Structures are given as structure tokens and as C-alpha cells.
Amino acid sequence: MILLPERIYCRGIKNGKGYVINDFAKKLEAVISFLPPIPMIIIELLKALDDENSDMNSIARIIARDPSMSMNVLKVANSAFYRLPNKVATVDYAVKMLGVKEITMICVSCGAYQALKPPRGAETFSLDEFWKHSVATGVIAKKICQELSVGDKNIIYFGGLLHDVGKVVLDRYAHDIYRIVVQVTHEECLPMIDAEKRIIGESHDNIGGLIMEKWKFPWLLVDITKYHHNVGECPRESRPTVAVCALADQLARIRYFGFGGDMSGVVLTDTEAFKALAEIAPAIKDMDVFKFVCDLESVNDEILEMEKILNGG
Ligand SMILES: [Fe+2]
Ligand SMILES: [Fe+2]
């Protein structure tokens, strides 16, 4: 039996010194209120994306002000994932080739990734493996989206990339208790979300949704994060995209692409995501899911490359 610590240590975010809180509900409140702000450049980009007067040049100008973001955009634009015919050497050209929305989403993902990155060695689970799972979910989601013509193709990859972000938040800012969650998940072969609910009373999907809302991310990204374990409760307008990401999450776990937090087996056709998709896109019932899963081997390189870029490689 695993005993919960009487006092839970929470790393201080504002002063870096740390503090102790006994009541986990209060701690969760603190987690949310102390979460780091999203970098200014992302706020500007999201505003520009909403502004019908902004054009490719204004988006490129915002990105060009931040050298590390510019570098990330160029790396991602030149990655195997996009397979562009020519080398992309400038941010202007990257925006022209990939479009304003896609480029903004690259920046949003890189910004979230950097803002939440814990110090090396302080994490409970391997972050490399965690992000590999996230990238795999994004890559697979995009492939399902293309295969079935379901979901928002501009945002789906980035939804996959960020869907489990609540786990990183919990591990970073509620470290002691999350270590127990991971231990229980392994020892009892539970889905991670069940261990979270039992021990914390809250789960990474809700926490992830809260941070996305706090950061004022596009509503579709919020919904993917919030409902990827609960597609049935998702608002109707975002359900197709959320269902595709949720199915991709399952497939990434079945194929053992990285570490999704748990390795519990599932019958794909029994999942809420599959049932929701079968209603929206009946073609999925005729799809050879087994073959689709086997063919995913070919995405391995894309996953490794993207994971390396996000990790600052
Ligand atoms: Fe999840
Ligand atoms: Fe996941």
C-alpha cells in the first residue's frame, strides 16, 4: 500500500524557494495561479491571428524579433514532417510556404514546451519519452485527419502535441504527489487518469485545459486537451477534431511510441473516440485499423526529428 505524504512539498514558482501546503485542493489552486505566463511573443501572435487586418508580413515580423523562436520555425519548416521541396532559409518564406495559422501553431507549441520545461533530472518520468508520445499523437492525428477528412487539419497536429500537457504541469508543480501517481499507475497497471483521480482528485486533462484557458490558447486546443479522455462530453463543434486526437493518443500508446503515462491495453473499437468518429465519419468502420497501426512504423523518423527540435536539439 502506498502512503500519501502528510505534507506535500510544492516547488515555489515565483521565488524558486518552495513552500508546503497540506490541503491538495488549495495546492491545485496554487498550481494554476502560479503557472508561468506564456511568452509575450505567443500572446502577440495569437492576437495577430485573430486580427483580420494582420497579414503574412506582420506575423513574420513578430517572429523575427525573437531569435530562438525564428530558429525553431526554420527547423520545423525544414523538417521531414513538412517535406517542403526547397530549403526554407527565412521566416518570411516559412510563413509563405506553411501559412499564417500553421506557423502560429508551431510557435505556440514551442512556447508552451519551453515555458513548462522542468530542470533536467527533476522529472518523474522521462520527458524525452513523454514528448515522443506527444509528437507521435500529433503525427498520427494528422494522418487520420487526412485519411478520413475529419477534423481541423491546421490545428490537429498541435493538439496532439499538447494534449497531455497537464501531466508535465502536475509533475513540475506538484512533484511529490505526482511521483506517487506514476508509481500507482505502474504497480496496479491502471490508466494514469484513474490513478490521478484516485490520488489527487483531479486529472491531467482538466489541469491541461485550465492552463490552455489561462494562456488564452485557441478554443480547439483547449477542447482537445480537456476532452481527449472524455470525447462524449466534448462540445459538438470541436468533437471531430477531439475524437481524432483521442484516437491518435490510443494508437500512439498501442504502438509504444514514447511514454504516454501508462501502457494499459485497450480495444480500439470500444473507445469513445472510435465510436464518436464512427458517427462522424462512417468510413472508419471499413478502415483496416490493424494495417493502419502497422504502417505507422514509417512515421518513426518524423517523430524522432520533431521531438529533437522541440527539445532544443
Ligand atoms: Fe491524456
Ligand atoms: Fe496521451
Side-chain angles (χ1 to χ4, degrees):
M1 182 182 156
I2 291 160
L3 293 173
L4 291 181
E6 275 177 30
R7 299 197 313 164
I8 298 162
Y9 180 77
C10 191
R11 285 188 197 107
I13 293 154
K14 279 193 167 166
N15 57 17
K17 285 181 186 156
Y19 52 92
V20 173
I21 309 174
N22 288 322
D23 180 341
F24 196 76
K26 277 197 195 133
K27 189 176 165 193
L28 268 184
E29 249 172 59
V31 167
I32 300 302
S33 62
F34 283 124
L35 277 173
I38 192 74
M40 200 57 204
I41 182 176
I42 304 298
I43 297 172
E44 286 181 44
L45 280 170
L46 289 173
K47 260 193 204 147
L49 191 66
D50 271 348
D51 181 356
E52 53 190 32
N53 294 320
S54 60
D55 54 13
M56 286 190 189
N57 292 336
S58 46
I59 296 281
R61 267 200 305 274
I62 297 172
I63 297 168
R65 290 208 313 263
D66 183 325
S68 74
M69 193 60 84
S70 305
M71 191 61 79
N72 282 335
V73 163
L74 294 182
K75 279 186 195 167
V76 176
N78 284 307
S79 70
F81 184 69
Y82 287 111
R83 298 183 203 287
L84 294 178
N86 301 314
K87 190 168 165 52
V88 178
T90 64
V91 172
D92 294 48
Y93 189 56
V95 178
K96 205 167 146 196
M97 292 305 288
L98 296 178
V100 165
K101 202 166 180 185
E102 192 83 9
I103 288 287
T104 306
M105 288 304 123
I106 291 173
C107 296
V108 163
S109 305
C110 291
Y113 190 93
Q114 293 305 327
L116 296 171
K117 203 173 177 180
R120 273 272 156 193
E123 67 270 21
T124 299
F125 44 82
S126 158
L127 273 183
D128 289 350
E129 291 296 306
F130 169 81
W131 286 110
K132 208 179 281 172
H133 162 76
S134 305
V135 175
T137 303
V139 170
I140 296 166
K142 193 150 184 166
K143 293 211 179 287
I144 300 172
C145 171
Q146 284 163 347
E147 184 89 11
L148 297 173
S149 303
V150 175
D152 184 326
K153 64 178 169 41
N154 288 312
I155 222 163
I156 204 141
Y157 171 70
F158 303 97
L161 215 53
L162 296 173
H163 75 285
D164 271 341
V165 89
K167 287 179 186 170
V168 185
V169 173
L170 281 168
D171 187 39
R172 182 157 181 200
Y173 301 113
H175 188 65
D176 286 357
I177 201 161
Y178 210 58
R179 223 169 29 200
I180 297 167
V181 169
V182 174
Q183 198 183 335
V184 169
T185 301
H186 285 294
E187 288 182 2
E188 299 187 23
C189 278
L190 281 177
M192 204 156 180
I193 194 164
D194 291 351
E196 289 168 341
K197 281 180 188 158
R198 194 210 296 172
I199 293 165
I200 304 178
E202 194 46 277
S203 49
H204 68 271
D205 43 356
N206 282 332
I207 299 286
L210 283 171
I211 185 169
M212 296 273 182
E213 276 168 5
K214 183 185 156 94
W215 283 348
K216 298 193 170 36
F217 274 16
W219 59 271
L220 208 40
L221 282 184
V222 176
D223 282 357
I224 290 169
T225 309
K226 206 167 168 178
Y227 298 106
H228 71 273
H229 288 291
N230 204 359
V231 180
E233 299 225 333
C234 172
R236 189 153 289 278
E237 58 278 21
S238 49
R239 195 168 300 166
T241 310
V242 174
V244 171
C245 273
L247 187 69
D249 175 33
Q250 299 285 3
L251 286 165
R253 283 192 266 164
I254 288 171
R255 288 290 290 110
Y256 294 99
F257 282 129
F259 173 64
D262 60 76
M263 298 298 180
S264 50
V266 284
V267 178
L268 214 53
T269 47
D270 285 348
T271 60
E272 265 190 39
F274 191 92
K275 287 177 188 162
L277 271 178
E279 268 178 37
I280 303 159
I284 196 171
K285 290 186 210 153
D286 303 323
M287 199 172 142
D288 187 342
V289 180
F290 184 72
K291 185 174 178 307
F292 188 80
V293 173
C294 289
D295 287 350
L296 294 178
E297 204 63 69
S298 62
V299 300
N300 228 345
D301 291 348
E302 290 173 31
I303 292 166
L304 287 175
E305 188 181 14
M306 197 58 119
E307 190 271 326
K308 212 166 122 196
I309 293 169
L310 283 168
N311 231 345

